[in-house]
């Protein structure tokens, strides 16, 4: 679009120079202004839309290439406007180029045929050029159309190749990230679940001991969350594929809270890929919310819910503990953990945090990114 626009600008500069250096004639000035107005409509709408609208391309072909030359014949007669390669007739070159780019093969063929037919009929009436001059003009129009078509084809092919290469790079990077995450999970499973099962199978620990049972419960919860995280969303659901960075960061926050004795029931739904700084800030806010449950809620159980969408992510940390009065000023002064570690972290990444709590009814901390 920009290349064709520069082509038209070059023709307009040539036309302006021809009108300015020629005999003073308001009719030529008016025709030049009309060509400029059509050009402004065509390329102005293309800049706003991001592409040529076929309606305006046809308007340019019919007005600039077909109607205005006959207006010049009637109003001016012979002169620099309608002679072979005259300033008005050369506008057909950029009209043909725009038609090739915007109208497709059939539409471009009809447009070029109209432009050539108009040139032939105008020259026969006014200039009666020699065959070489007529051939030169026809060749120039056809070459302009051919070059525009070849350039458009080349740019589209290169763009398709670039898109394909980028898609392959994204797929490869996603596969690499997933493989790295699987390796990390395998190492974690070896150090936790497998080590526990091996110790129990070898008889080195008492499987009924409270500490061993608590550890088995934590590791079973971890396995359930791990399986759940890799469940793909339903086909055509519009949800993103499970994100490895965000899931790993949130899972680390949950396991850290479990190591303190808090039982975390987690539910993950299509966790999206997030920027690393966003994932870490979100996990830190979740960790602080879980720590608050452990320290203040007087309940051994917390609920972590994560929902992914095409727009971002929503996370909720809930408990059924003693709750508190969110309007209590003394609590607000003491609640630096929520203010700095939760609200502050979410605000820093362009997210939002909300706390809903009532005495005796538990607490819900909701995190959203983006806000």
């Amino acid at each position: 679009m920009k290349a064709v626009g520069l082509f038209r600008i070059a023709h307009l500069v040539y036309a302006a120079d021809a009108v300015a250096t020629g005999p003073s004639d308001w009719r030529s000035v008016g025709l030049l202004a009309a060509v400029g107005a059509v050009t402004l409509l065509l390329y102005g709408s293309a800049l706003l839309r991001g592409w040529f609208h076929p309606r305006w391309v046809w308007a340019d072909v019919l007005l600039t290439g077909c109607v205005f030359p006959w207006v010049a014949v009637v109003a001016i007669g012979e002169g620099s406007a309608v002679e072979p390669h005259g300033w008005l007739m050369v506008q057909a070159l950029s009209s043909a180029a725009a038609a090739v780019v915007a109208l497709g093969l059939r539409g471009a063929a009809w447009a070029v045929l109209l432009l050539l037919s108009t040139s032939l009929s105008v020259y026969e009436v006014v200039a009666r050029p020699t065959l070489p001059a007529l051939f030169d003009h026809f060749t120039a129009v056809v070459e302009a159309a051919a070059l525009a078509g070849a350039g458009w084809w080349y740019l589209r092919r290169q763009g398709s190749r670039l898109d394909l290469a980028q898609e392959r790079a994204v797929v490869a990077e996603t596969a690499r990230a997933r493989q790295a995450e699987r390796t990390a999970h395998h190492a974690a499973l070896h150090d936790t679940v497998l080590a526990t099962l091996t110790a129990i199978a070898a008889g080195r620990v008492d499987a009924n001991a409270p500490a061993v049972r608590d550890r088995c419960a934590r590791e079973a919860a971890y396995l359930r969350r791990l399986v759940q995280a890799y469940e793909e969303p339903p086909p055509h659901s519009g949800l993103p594929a499970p994100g490895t960075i965000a899931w790993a960061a949130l899972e680390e926050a949950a396991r850290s809270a479990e190591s303190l004795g808090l039982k975390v029931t987690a539910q993950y739904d299509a966790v999206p890929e997030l920027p690393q700084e966003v994932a870490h800030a979100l996990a830190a806010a979740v960790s602080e919310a879980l720590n608050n449950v452990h320290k203040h809620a007087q309940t051994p159980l917390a609920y972590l819910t994560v929902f992914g969408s095409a727009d971002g992510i929503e996370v909720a940390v809930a408990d059924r503990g003693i709750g508190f009065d969110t309007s209590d000023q003394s609590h607000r002064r003491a609640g630096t953990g929520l203010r700095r570690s939760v609200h502050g972290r979410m605000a820093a990444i362009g997210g939002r945090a909300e706390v809903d709590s009532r005495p005796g009814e538990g607490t819900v901390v909701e995190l959203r990114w983006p806000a």
Side-chain angles (χ1 to χ4, degrees), residues 16-338:
D17 180 70
V19 172
T21 57
S24 179
D25 189 346
W26 64 267
R27 294 168 297 183
S28 296
V29 174
L31 275 174
L32 179 59
V35 174
V38 174
T39 300
L40 185 62
L41 286 174
L42 172 61
Y43 291 95
S45 66
L47 288 174
L48 291 176
R49 293 170 52 91
W51 189 240
F52 289 115
H53 194 294
R55 175 177 57 196
W56 294 116
V57 175
W58 276 115
D60 181 56
V61 170
L62 295 175
L63 292 175
T64 302
C66 300
V67 174
F68 290 164
W70 283 108
V71 172
V73 169
V74 174
I76 303 174
E78 296 186 11
S80 61
V82 292
E83 66 186 10
H85 301 305
W87 67 262
L88 181 56
M89 304 306 290
V90 297
Q91 307 302 321
L93 276 67
S94 51
S95 294
V100 168
V101 169
L103 300 181
L105 183 60
R106 180 176 297 181
W110 279 108
V112 170
L113 183 61
L114 283 172
L115 293 170
L116 294 179
S117 300
T118 301
S119 299
L120 178 62
S121 58
V122 168
Y123 289 162
E124 285 297 319
V125 171
V126 177
R128 298 189 180 277
T130 61
L131 186 60
L134 187 62
F135 180 77
D136 287 346
H137 179 75
F138 277 26
T139 301
V141 173
V142 174
E143 286 180 349
L147 288 174
W152 171 234
W153 172 82
Y154 177 77
L155 290 176
R156 287 190 64 181
R157 189 183 70 164
Q158 293 301 105
S160 298
R161 288 183 173 181
L162 182 61
D163 290 342
L164 181 60
Q166 185 175 8
E167 182 179 348
R168 288 176 176 173
V170 170
V171 170
E173 178 62 23
T174 301
R176 185 203 64 77
R178 290 191 181 280
Q179 182 59 39
E181 191 63 29
R182 289 191 186 97
T183 302
H185 288 321
H186 292 163
L189 290 173
H190 178 273
D191 296 338
T192 56
V193 179
L194 185 58
T196 301
L197 293 176
T198 301
I200 293 173
R204 293 195 297 267
V205 296
D206 181 5
N208 293 318
V212 176
R213 294 176 64 183
D214 289 343
R215 178 171 178 173
C216 288
R218 290 196 302 270
E219 292 172 0
Y222 170 65
L223 283 176
R224 282 193 294 270
R225 295 195 295 267
L226 181 61
V227 171
Q228 184 186 70
Y230 280 93
E231 290 179 352
E232 297 291 338
H236 312 298
S237 65
L239 296 176
T244 56
I245 296 177
W247 183 88
L250 292 170
E251 179 59 23
E252 180 62 28
R255 296 189 68 189
S256 176
E258 286 180 328
S259 68
L260 300 176
L262 183 69
K263 182 179 179 181
V264 179
T265 299
Q267 177 72 33
Y268 297 96
D269 186 4
V271 182
E273 288 288 0
L274 299 177
Q276 187 170 3
E277 63 276 9
V278 173
H280 289 168
L282 189 65
V286 168
S287 182
E288 180 60 29
L290 291 173
N291 287 338
N292 281 341
V293 176
H294 174 66
K295 291 186 293 185
H296 304 299
Q298 298 182 18
T299 177
L301 179 61
Y303 301 90
L304 172 64
T305 307
V306 184
F307 292 98
S309 67
D311 299 326
I313 190 171
E314 296 184 12
V315 180
V317 177
D319 66 75
R320 297 174 181 172
I322 61 174
F324 60 90
D325 185 358
T326 56
S327 63
D328 187 351
Q329 295 298 321
S330 63
H331 170 78
R332 289 188 177 184
R333 288 192 296 270
T336 56
L338 283 176

